[in-house]
Amino acid sequence: MTTEEKLKHFEEAAVERAKTKSSAAIAEHQAALEKLEAEHKAEKDRQAALQIKTESESLNRAMNIALSKEQLQIRRRISQKNEELKEKLFIEIKSLLEEYMATTAYPQLLEKQIREILKIADGEPVTIYIDPNDQALLMNLNAVSNTAISLSEYPFMGGTRAVLEKRHMLIDNSFQTRLEEAREAFTFNGGISHE
């Protein structure tokens, strides 16, 4: 083989070897870049997922706070409306009581209450009071019950009150007390229920 052929052969071998090394280095570098890209992509995906989770939790908290505030406002409005309706109802009841007191049934109720008080007193001294507005009924109630009935100094919307001093007992059949008890015990149970 001539020198020139040897040189050409050497050159071809050197170029081939350089190409092989270069291809291997490129492949190695390509693999390193792909690995780096995969790691970077995984990190970015993890960060994005964490950010989405954080934002979702923040939005849920904000939504729950807003929902709680709205529920509180609704409860307040319902409570206020209940109080308004309750007030209207008891004004109407008071009006109906006043109408009832103008009927013949009212003196009969007073007589019945007085008989019950006398039965409870069982012969003991008792002071029975009627409302000052019922003064017109006083003489008839005294006669019917055969007992001295007194006019109260303070109005109590009708009905009777009595004091048994020996027992330190107050019998309160006044409409005012009954109305207050009814108002205190009254609740709205209708409407939409949540189960």
Side-chain angles (χ1 to χ4, degrees), residues 74-85:
I74 289 169
R75 283 191 200 110
R76 283 183 184 148
R77 286 194 298 264
I78 288 172
S79 178
Q80 184 178 15
K81 194 60 159 172
N82 282 346
E83 283 304 313
E84 288 173 16
L85 292 173

Side-chain angles (χ1 to χ4, degrees), residues 48-127:
L50 182 62
Q51 186 175 3
I52 288 171
K53 182 181 177 192
T54 304
E55 291 290 326
S56 295
E57 288 172 355
S58 177
L59 287 172
N60 280 336
R61 276 193 302 275
M63 185 177 65
N64 286 339
I65 289 169
L67 182 63
S68 293
K69 285 180 181 178
E70 187 61 29
Q71 286 175 337
L72 184 61
Q73 288 293 334
I74 289 169
R75 283 191 200 110
R76 283 183 184 148
R77 286 194 298 264
I78 288 172
S79 178
Q80 184 178 15
K81 194 60 159 172
N82 282 346
E83 283 304 313
E84 288 173 16
L85 292 173
K86 185 177 179 180
E87 189 61 32
K88 284 181 182 179
L89 176 68
F90 280 92
I91 288 170
E92 188 174 333
I93 290 172
K94 187 176 178 184
S95 173
L96 291 172
L97 277 174
E98 290 169 359
E99 288 176 21
Y100 172 74
M101 290 170 65
T103 67
T104 57
Y106 177 62
Q108 293 171 358
L109 173 70
L110 293 178
E111 290 171 19
K112 180 181 174 198
Q113 288 180 352
I114 292 168
R115 281 194 302 273
E116 289 173 0
I117 290 168
L118 292 172
K119 187 176 178 183
I120 291 170
D122 196 28
E124 288 183 32
V126 62
T127 307

